[in-house]
Amino acid sequence: PLEAELAKRLELESQRPRKATFTSTSAKSVVYAEYYNSMRNKVEAYGTQFFPRVGGQPLYGSLIVMVSIDREGKMLSKPKVEKSSGNAELDRQTLAIIQACAPFEKFPASMKAQLDVIDWIATFTFVKGSGQTQLELKMTSPKP
């Protein structure tokens, strides 16, 4: 009975996707840093080019979003606001920016060997930079 239970548990565990959460500390790992930078650069460039606006006026603020991405670079579900900016329209447009950037690159071989899915948690900050509006992305520490 115990062997059967262990075998069943091992079989269930082997069917679960290998998953990691991209945070400020995990993204520093060499394996993940390049992939994270590629995603961040793509989303920042798009978000800066298509900066959120209402009635022609830029929307400023900060929110935390989680995106689940599989090894093929596809989002597993819609991105999710973990902490709102307090402005529903900014939140909505931020999610649209992320969705417009998908799919992302496929995981490199070094990541595929370790993971099937990543949960990317980042703080999206829309600011007025040096004379222009821009999106800045920062990794967020995991929730306790």
Side-chain angles (χ1 to χ4, degrees), residues 9-126:
R9 191 180 323 157
L10 285 172
E11 183 181 335
L12 286 173
E13 284 181 16
S14 71
Q15 293 171 356
R16 273 191 251 152
R18 297 168 300 159
K19 194 172 184 178
T21 302
F22 268 22
T23 63
S24 54
T25 49
S26 69
K28 290 178 184 162
S29 160
V30 174
V31 175
Y32 307 131
E34 196 173 299
Y35 189 82
Y36 164 70
N37 283 332
S38 167
M39 283 192 320
R40 181 180 54 79
N41 289 338
K42 184 176 186 178
V43 175
E44 279 184 344
Y46 191 90
T48 296
Q49 182 179 356
F50 298 100
F51 200 87
R53 296 178 184 279
V54 169
Q57 296 302 309
L59 296 173
Y60 299 110
S62 187
L63 62 149
I64 298 174
V65 177
M66 184 177 88
V67 184
S68 292
I69 302 165
D70 73 10
R71 59 195 344 231
E72 297 302 311
K74 296 179 186 139
M75 287 193 298
L76 293 176
S77 57
K78 291 185 177 178
K80 180 179 173 214
V81 174
E82 296 287 320
K83 183 175 183 233
S84 173
S85 65
N87 180 324
E89 186 57 21
L90 179 58
D91 292 358
R92 187 190 70 73
Q93 289 190 38
T94 300
L95 297 179
I97 286 167
I98 298 165
Q99 289 179 288
C101 290
F104 297 96
E105 293 177 22
K106 292 180 180 184
F107 291 2
S110 56
M111 275 179 63
K112 279 185 180 179
Q114 298 176 28
L115 297 171
D116 298 312
V117 175
I118 55 167
D119 286 339
W120 176 34
I121 302 173
T123 301
F124 288 67
T125 305
F126 294 89

